[in-house]
Amino acid sequence: MQKNILVIGGNGFVGSAVCRSAVRRGWKVQSISKSGKPFTTPNGHLPAWTEKVEWHAASAFEPTSYQSLLSSSNAVVHTLGTLFDGGRYKQPLKEQNPLGTVVEGAKSVVNGLLGDNPLERRGPRSYENMNRESAITVCKAFISSSSATSSSTSQSRPGNTFVYVSAEDVFRPAIPARYITTKREAERMIQELCSQSTPPIRSVMVRPSFIYHPHFRPISSPIAALIAAAGGIHQALGGFSPLSVLTNLTRSQRHEGNALDNPIASMNRALTIPPIHVDHVGEAICAAIEDESANGPLDVWAMRRLLGWVQDSEKTSGSASFADTR
């Protein structure tokens, strides 16, 4: 069956990778974003593949602005989100301003360590809005559209899929816990909504770790390299690694009312789960749409298996390369 995919935030970092992968597969690709502008490289160039994507201006929070696109789509991918409340780090990141990005990121990290600002929770770019509410709004709209189409044609549309770009819990305590709790809340709600819809919609939640690209986000590559180097040392030390020891000592502790484990465990995961190239995220999402057995949360290892280049035995034996450099 021909895939018609709608990407929410298709001109963004992750969304553009999904669009590129879908175009390569010959799918019909539509994107919505606030500006409606096509993806451009940091140098302002329009890649050739952008001509094969329909770019639309719409708001994820206003289903009427993209309702007509949903009716022709059998897969929706939600890529919106923010790593820090307010999203102020995104502008210097988009402008390829490393200093500005570091400054804004450092401010956000300090603010997160000092405690959440209650006013941020009500802002339009808060974790609650960007990571959770936008996804739930789009999911509900897709379900409504699928149900309406099924009723009007007296038959269901098989293979409808909703993909939510979530995240691995590898960023605490540098990133506030609300980043991951809002992601997990969205996951649970999306799974519930899709499983109860008529006709049922398959829900997939991809959980990438630290995402990088050497050209589109140059600042991300050295960070990924540092994580990979530290991870290699961590794996070489095994159970004698300081983080492994601390994780075992604090394993019974939970964070935020048992919703998450302690931040030390999150740091430990950051050194055992490899960074992932943004193109591999896009490819894995499209592979998950194609593979009807893919369902629920997919971690980095599951994403790699979808791409056909990591086996379970490699993960457990430690023979897989830590850095995602393929």
Side-chain angles (χ1 to χ4, degrees):
M1 181 177 64
Q2 172 66 34
K3 294 296 183 184
N4 299 327
I5 182 175
L6 174 62
V7 183
I8 313 301
N11 60 0
F13 184 48
V14 175
S16 62
V18 177
C19 290
R20 282 195 297 275
S21 179
V23 165
R24 282 196 293 269
R25 285 168 162 78
W27 297 355
K28 177 182 177 181
V29 185
Q30 302 175 106
S31 163
I32 67 167
S33 63
K34 184 177 180 180
S35 69
K37 295 179 180 179
F39 168 81
T40 57
T41 68
N43 294 326
H45 298 148
L46 279 172
W49 62 264
T50 59
E51 297 179 0
K52 299 179 180 180
V53 178
E54 296 179 14
W55 305 96
H56 301 272
S59 169
F61 297 98
E62 300 174 8
T64 54
S65 65
Y66 53 91
Q67 190 67 47
S68 61
L69 305 178
L70 289 174
S71 61
S72 63
S73 301
N74 48 38
V76 173
V77 182
H78 181 279
T79 70
L80 301 182
T82 185
L83 192 60
F84 296 108
D85 256 348
R88 286 179 289 274
Y89 70 99
K90 290 193 173 185
Q91 189 58 38
L93 195 61
K94 184 183 299 184
E95 296 171 351
Q96 297 294 305
N97 179 356
L99 180 59
T101 303
V102 170
V103 170
E104 289 297 336
K107 287 180 181 177
S108 298
V109 169
V110 171
N111 290 337
L113 292 174
L114 292 177
D116 294 330
N117 180 355
L119 295 178
E120 294 282 13
R121 300 192 180 204
R122 296 191 293 270
R125 292 187 173 273
S126 66
Y127 288 130
E128 286 74 15
N129 271 339
M130 296 299 295
N131 294 353
R132 186 186 66 204
E133 297 306 318
S134 66
I136 293 172
T137 299
V138 174
C139 184
K140 287 181 177 179
F142 187 40
I143 290 171
S144 176
S145 174
S146 297
S147 299
T149 302
S150 176
S151 299
S152 63
T153 60
S154 299
Q155 61 181 5
S156 64
R157 292 188 298 175
N160 282 10
T161 309
F162 187 91
V163 181
Y164 172 64
V165 179
S166 187
E168 289 277 11
D169 181 11
V170 296
F171 300 105
R172 292 182 291 134
I175 307 300
R178 276 175 47 236
Y179 168 75
I180 201 67
T181 56
T182 51
K183 291 276 191 181
R184 294 294 179 267
E185 288 164 1
E187 287 184 13
R188 288 191 292 271
M189 181 61 75
I190 289 167
Q191 280 189 297
E192 181 178 333
L193 288 169
C194 290
S195 65
Q196 296 177 355
S197 68
T198 303
I201 292 176
R202 180 166 57 96
S203 60
V204 177
M205 282 67 66
V206 294
R207 293 179 175 179
S209 52
F210 182 80
I211 307 174
Y212 70 95
H213 192 289
H215 304 302
F216 297 158
R217 285 204 176 164
I219 194 173
S220 65
S221 285
I223 296 175
L226 285 172
I227 295 173
I233 296 172
H234 176 74
Q235 288 188 352
L237 293 173
F240 296 101
S241 166
L243 268 181
S244 295
V245 173
L246 287 172
T247 299
N248 289 330
L249 290 174
T250 60
R251 192 176 297 277
S252 62
Q253 297 180 16
R254 304 298 292 180
H255 186 80
E256 288 205 351
N258 293 329
L260 301 173
D261 52 19
N262 62 77
I264 294 175
S266 178
M267 295 169 64
N268 186 63
R269 281 190 292 274
L271 298 181
T272 55
I273 302 174
I276 185 168
H277 195 289
V278 70
D279 284 346
H280 296 155
V281 177
E283 287 289 336
I285 287 172
C286 290
I289 293 173
E290 290 178 314
D291 186 347
E292 294 189 1
S293 68
N295 190 50
L298 301 179
D299 61 13
V300 170
W301 307 108
M303 293 164 68
R304 284 182 161 195
R305 288 193 294 274
L306 275 172
L307 298 179
W309 57 288
V310 165
Q311 302 298 322
D312 283 328
S313 58
E314 291 178 306
K315 175 186 174 183
T316 57
S317 66
S319 60
S321 172
F322 184 84
D324 180 6
T325 56
R326 177 173 172 177

